[in-house]
Amino acid sequence: MLKQLEKLSAFIGNTPLMSLRNTRTPLYAKLEYNNFSGSSKDRAGYSIVYNGIKSGRINENTTIIASSSGNLAIAVASICKMLDLKFIPVIDPNINSAYEELLNLLSYKVVKITERDSTGGYLLTRIETVNKLHAATENSFIADQYGDPNNYKGYYGLSEEILRCPVPVEYVFVAVSSSGAITGISKSIKEKNPDIKIIGVDVEGSVIFNAPPVKRYISGIGASQVPPIIKNASIDDVVIVSQTDIIKGCFELLNEQVIFAGASSGAVYLAAKNYFNEKSYLIPPVSLLIFPDKGHTYLDTIYNKQWGEQLAAKLESATVA
Ligand SMILES: Cc1ncc(COP(=O)(O)O)c(C=O)c1O
């Protein structure tokens, strides 16, 4: 299985670097949506499965279980399909319909929970379901992006790519969710070049960096629990972006750079552009932005004008109340 998986590694990583145009300070983007299954989570999924096999916790008959409705589930489902391994993603009603259909095509079985947990969300019910499935399924393995250090270790290769960039990168802007990307990038970059600044980008309402509580409607970025692996990260600064600004960032990215990307990319783009606005530089610093996924699965949300207006109204009324 490891040999088969190694063949797949040719299609994960070494993603294109794009110079963005007409920005006040030089911005470069790592187009991570060019990975095998369409997002940077391929790096995490590959690392978790590879190390699971290497350590003997995954064999040909193992069933892999994951609590994810997003890119991690698609990445692990694709890898499992390649290796003929059974994969069971545990999803919830917030899942994007395209992802649900794709997971149904790729997975052994999809478990969709519908019961809300004590916090009104689905996360705790999803985790409980994953644990029950794990206990009830002989020879099963949980692909745990929040707790497995192999998640962030999967991004060491991305750090190497950043350090090898033909431009002298001084700032790296990374959207945060499970924190695998920012933990892996910051930990390994700082070991080699501590001067490179790592800036985390999160959404309002996410608990990772203690942002004030707001109901979140945008997927991919943010989390409702502090991911345990983030304790290994070395983050210089954090930018919290509002949900309406994320939409703005996505449209600016589309109109200014002709890049049709997901919410996290829009958040990172807006954060990086604004970050240097008030400062003046003799030599403007060079920044690298990580763009994790494409915009197709956000067509019904971020890129739907009506959805955006409704979101703005909902957030406004919540503020007034
Ligand atoms: C849409 C999106 N946002 C953000 C991230 C960074 O996520 P994490 O902090 O879970 O590594 C990813 C990783 O692939 C992603 O796909």
Side-chain angles (χ1 to χ4, degrees):
M1 278 201 294
L2 281 184
K3 282 226 168 80
Q4 241 176 306
L5 204 48
E6 276 157 15
K7 280 190 201 154
L8 187 63
S9 70
F11 306 98
I12 299 175
N14 290 315
T15 48
L17 179 75
M18 186 174 170
S19 160
L20 303 183
R21 52 187 198 165
N22 300 332
T23 52
R24 209 172 151 259
T25 58
L27 302 181
Y28 291 82
K30 237 349 213 165
L31 307 182
E32 281 285 290
Y33 46 72
N34 277 45
N35 279 303
F36 174 67
S37 87
S39 84
S40 52
K41 288 280 183 199
D42 281 350
R43 298 185 191 258
Y46 183 93
S47 172
I48 291 172
V49 174
Y50 188 93
N51 285 289
I53 297 171
K54 209 167 160 208
S55 63
R57 288 173 299 150
I58 298 176
N59 60 35
E60 277 91 355
N61 300 313
T62 303
T63 302
I64 300 189
I65 306 164
S67 160
S68 169
S69 294
N71 291 332
L72 191 270
I74 301 292
V76 176
S78 307
I79 292 166
C80 288
K81 186 88 177 161
M82 203 78 163
L83 299 179
D84 282 328
L85 287 173
K86 290 178 190 156
F87 176 55
I88 307 179
V90 176
I91 63 168
D92 66 46
N94 288 335
I95 190 169
N96 169 281
S97 60
Y99 272 12
E100 184 169 358
E101 278 174 41
L102 183 54
L103 283 176
N104 276 313
L105 293 171
L106 289 170
S107 312
Y108 171 67
K109 184 167 83 176
V110 174
V111 174
K112 187 172 185 175
I113 56 120
T114 49
E115 226 174 275
R116 288 185 187 272
D117 58 35
S118 52
T119 69
Y122 294 104
L123 180 74
L124 303 181
T125 322
R126 270 205 274 138
I127 293 172
E128 197 185 307
T129 308
V130 163
N131 290 333
K132 275 191 194 152
L133 274 169
H134 179 47
T137 314
E138 209 188 309
N139 188 2
S140 57
F141 173 91
I142 301 176
D144 173 17
Q145 60 172 332
Y146 290 92
D148 189 338
N150 291 307
N151 174 2
Y152 70 76
K153 291 180 184 171
Y155 291 90
Y156 288 173
L158 178 52
S159 310
E160 296 295 331
E161 291 167 39
I162 295 171
L163 292 166
R164 280 201 311 266
C165 267
V167 286
V169 173
E170 293 168 86
Y171 285 81
V172 184
F173 287 80
V174 193
V176 185
S177 181
S178 74
S179 83
I182 199 156
T183 303
I185 293 171
S186 64
K187 192 168 162 24
S188 55
I189 278 194
K190 294 276 184 188
E191 277 166 17
K192 300 194 175 103
N193 186 345
D195 294 337
I196 297 181
K197 301 271 183 272
I198 309 291
I199 315 298
V201 179
D202 199 3
V203 57
E204 62 177 356
S206 163
V207 307
I208 306 173
F209 302 108
N210 302 316
V214 182
K215 195 163 183 323
R216 289 187 293 126
Y217 298 90
I218 287 176
S219 60
I221 182 168
S224 43
Q225 59 177 3
V226 179
I229 54 172
I230 204 170
K231 62 177 185 298
N232 301 292
S234 178
I235 301 169
D236 294 284
D237 202 359
V238 173
V239 179
I240 306 291
V241 184
S242 75
Q243 298 177 82
T244 43
D245 275 352
I246 288 183
I247 298 178
K248 187 169 171 258
C250 285
F251 278 103
E252 287 183 7
L253 193 51
L254 186 64
N255 293 320
E256 295 165 8
Q257 310 293 344
V258 202
I259 292 180
F260 175 49
S264 298
S265 309
V268 159
Y269 184 56
L270 195 91
K273 279 203 307 180
N274 290 343
Y275 198 77
F276 303 103
N277 256 355
E278 269 146 41
K279 302 166 192 141
S280 63
Y281 299 92
L282 214 52
I283 305 169
V286 175
S287 302
L288 187 119
L289 282 48
I290 308 291
F291 289 170
D293 65 356
K294 288 228 81 157
H296 300 82
T297 48
Y298 302 82
L299 276 170
D300 294 339
T301 54
I302 303 270
Y303 290 101
N304 178 322
K305 287 252 160 74
Q306 206 185 348
W307 186 89
E309 281 159 17
Q310 283 166 358
L311 172 66
K314 265 190 255 182
L315 294 170
E316 178 75 16
S317 65
T319 317
V320 173

